[in-house]
Amino acid sequence: MDAANDVELRELRARAYGPRADITNDRAAMRRLRELEAARRAELSGATAGPAVGAEEADAVPAEQLPTEEAAAVAARSAAPTADDGEPEWWQPGEEPDDDARAGATASVPRRRRVLWALSVIASAAVAAGVTYALTGVAPVSASSGVPQTTTLHPTSATLVPQGFVGAIESTPVYDFYGLTLFLGEGGFGGPIGPGGACIIAVSTTDVPAIDSFDGSSWSIDGPVYSGCSAGAFPASIEIPLHADVPAALRARFSGSRAIQFVLDGDRIGVFVDGG
């Protein structure tokens, strides 16, 4: 075989046995492949002592490394889909596959790759769906109302709150804010709190009794009492709707607003007003 036939043989073998086999429906190419393989076998069997290797032949693949037709058939069988008994589906046990069967076997390789690729896409989609469900299974709820802070209160009030009044602690810091008096308590109306906890209580300033008139055993109040206690990482806070029961000074200061919130932070109280 000359160099041109050798190149043609390699190209046809790549089309028949390579990863991008496309010779299945090309009968002329199949016949040409058989002719060239037969010529190659005849050339190898009839050779005794070959001449010196030339530059053109040195570039060619050694003959013993070229796949024979029988080796290609074995490779085709290994890539071919099999039935339950392990034999290829398109021929019976003990029978040699014909050219169409061998070509179908080589074409099965890219088909199987396409199937594997499709399965990988499905698996990736399933994983993505699982991750999406994990992220959206719990609907997020904002922990902040988004209301801007209006001011910060510091314990500078001249009002004295007797110990025990609505649960007030001894020497409690006191805060005044437009007719409201805020102070710290042991538990408010929510019961005792855990270690390190705190409660904030708000009443109308006119309802705070005088120190000398408070006996500590009993107390009464005419207006509403607002209280809230901390729990773990959550700070003590109270929310007060700005309706007719609040002091007139507070209602007038925030006329048109809907509610006010007080949040305890150490010895300070943040004030947040919902303007509506």
Side-chain angles (χ1 to χ4, degrees), residues 40 42 57 68 72 86 95 110 118 141 146 148 150 178 197 211 217 250 270:
R40 170 64 69 183
E57 292 180 338
T68 63
E95 294 182 357
V141 175
T150 302
Y178 294 98
I211 295 290
S217 60
L250 182 67

Side-chain angles (χ1 to χ4, degrees), residues 7 14 31 58 63 97 117 119 143 150 166 195 197 201 215 217 228:
V7 172
R31 286 194 299 270
W117 174 83
L119 292 176
T150 302
V166 199
I201 302 169
D215 61 9
S217 60

Side-chain angles (χ1 to χ4, degrees), residues 193-194 196-200 228-237 264:
I193 58 176
C199 295
I200 181 174
C229 300
S230 63
F234 303 108
S237 65
L264 180 64

Side-chain angles (χ1 to χ4, degrees), residues 81-111:
T82 57
D84 293 339
D85 58 359
E87 288 292 328
E89 292 180 341
W90 47 73
W91 64 79
Q92 298 298 322
E95 294 182 357
E96 188 67 21
D98 57 17
D99 294 335
D100 293 339
R102 185 180 293 109
T106 59
S108 68
V109 176
R111 285 201 300 270

Side-chain angles (χ1 to χ4, degrees), residues 214-228:
F214 185 76
D215 61 9
S217 60
S218 64
W219 52 269
S220 63
I221 191 170
D222 293 332
V225 177
Y226 304 94
S227 67

Side-chain angles (χ1 to χ4, degrees), residues 144-229:
S144 172
S145 63
V147 175
Q149 183 173 346
T150 302
T151 187
T152 300
L153 304 182
H154 298 273
T156 58
S157 173
T159 304
L160 299 177
V161 176
Q163 180 182 356
F165 174 67
V166 199
I169 63 175
E170 182 179 2
S171 302
T172 176
V174 181
Y175 311 79
D176 282 333
F177 190 72
Y178 294 98
L180 280 180
T181 294
L182 299 92
F183 53 92
L184 303 187
E186 296 176 328
F189 294 111
I193 58 176
C199 295
I200 181 174
I201 302 169
V203 300
S204 177
T205 302
T206 57
D207 287 331
V208 179
I211 295 290
D212 54 4
S213 65
F214 185 76
D215 61 9
S217 60
S218 64
W219 52 269
S220 63
I221 191 170
D222 293 332
V225 177
Y226 304 94
S227 67
C229 300

